[in-house]
Amino acid sequence: MGLKGNLSTVNLADVFQVLSHGNSTGLLCIRAPDGQRFVEVQNGTISTVARSAGHALLGDLLLSRGLLDDAGLQRALAEQKRSGRLLGQILVDLCLVRREDLERALQFQIEEEICDLFLLEAGDFEFLANAKLDESKALGGGFWRLRLPAGTFLLEAARRQDEWREMIRRIPSQARLFRLRAEAENLLDGGGGLSSEGAILIALVRNHRTVEAMVQKGCLGRLTTNQLLVEL
């Protein structure tokens, strides 16, 4: 099925509904200002996603959710370097992460990437029937493909759009840098009074990351990251 257009004139929700209702299989390619985005579709369901630049790493995703510690990640990365196998497969084989936890983490990140697409105001898109995403680009290294109904994301994306309009009044650019106030520095050094998400974010601010870099490295989600920055 040939499907192409521009997001300035075509509603992205309509695109996903067409693909879902048609039980389509292929690759949706979207040209965004920061590079290409990809959504792989199998029989009308979303299986995996990717970006050409600035994508979240599987290790960071699992660390942020408390499913893996740094020692375990380094062990798995060493095995990946030795064997060349996919990181996700290694983590499961070494019993460092349960398969169901890994799947939930991937589903979370796929939802974040899909909701991110709905923030684009323009961009050419094209659906390539029967095409597949290269495993080296796929989220989590393409360890396995999920089968996620598009409808589960559309309602959440619509809800976030309303919240996002308010958020961009507070943080108008994702390229912005933040600086820690003295009380935030004290919280980080003392380790008290902070949620795990807050600790991740303050550490990233301290490392002089842009908001966009914090979104990708922290793996907390764009809306959550921006909301926490406003609260901090």
Side-chain angles (χ1 to χ4, degrees), residues 22 31 41 44 52 67 75 81 109 123 129 138 158 183 192:
R31 189 177 299 278
V41 179
S52 61
L67 298 173
R75 178 185 172 193
K81 183 177 180 179
Q109 192 60 33
E183 54 265 38

Side-chain angles (χ1 to χ4, degrees), residues 28-39:
L28 179 63
C29 307
I30 301 173
R31 189 177 299 278
D34 59 348
Q36 281 198 304
R37 313 278 186 91
F38 306 95
V39 181

Side-chain angles (χ1 to χ4, degrees), residues 22-176:
N23 290 321
S24 303
T25 293
L27 190 62
L28 179 63
C29 307
I30 301 173
R31 189 177 299 278
D34 59 348
Q36 281 198 304
R37 313 278 186 91
F38 306 95
V39 181
E40 186 183 277
V41 179
Q42 291 186 5
N43 298 320
T45 63
I46 296 171
S47 56
T48 189
V49 296
R51 293 171 176 243
S52 61
H55 62 280
L57 299 177
L58 180 59
D60 290 334
L61 177 61
L62 298 173
L63 287 171
S64 72
R65 298 176 69 81
L67 298 173
L68 182 67
D69 59 22
D70 190 61
L73 176 59
Q74 294 308 314
R75 178 185 172 193
L77 289 173
E79 173 60 22
Q80 183 186 42
K81 183 177 180 179
R82 185 194 68 80
S83 66
R85 293 191 298 143
L86 294 173
L87 180 60
Q89 185 66 65
I90 292 170
L91 290 168
V92 172
D93 289 348
L94 294 179
C95 299
L96 293 170
V97 177
R98 296 188 305 172
R99 186 182 183 95
E100 54 267 33
D101 288 336
L102 182 52
E103 184 172 327
R104 279 194 290 268
L106 291 174
Q107 180 171 342
F108 167 83
Q109 192 60 33
I110 288 174
E111 179 176 291
E112 291 300 320
E113 294 290 345
I114 296 297
C115 288
D116 246 17
L117 293 177
F118 282 81
L119 302 180
L120 298 174
E121 297 181 350
D124 293 328
F125 69 85
E126 182 176 7
F127 182 72
L128 306 176
N130 300 315
K132 290 190 67 175
L133 190 58
D134 188 290
E135 287 189 346
S136 64
K137 296 180 180 179
L139 178 65
F143 172 40
W144 73 77
R145 262 66 171 176
L146 304 182
R147 293 294 182 93
L148 305 174
T152 61
F153 302 117
L154 300 186
L155 290 176
E156 177 63 17
R159 182 191 68 80
R160 292 191 193 187
Q161 279 183 301
D162 292 335
E163 293 188 49
W164 186 250
R165 292 188 186 95
E166 174 62 25
M167 190 57 58
I168 59 177
R169 293 178 58 252
R170 309 289 296 276
I171 305 179
S173 172
Q174 298 293 282
R176 177 168 290 187

Side-chain angles (χ1 to χ4, degrees), residues 17 32 77 116 177 199 216:
Q17 287 176 345
L77 289 173
D116 246 17
L177 286 167
Q216 300 305 327

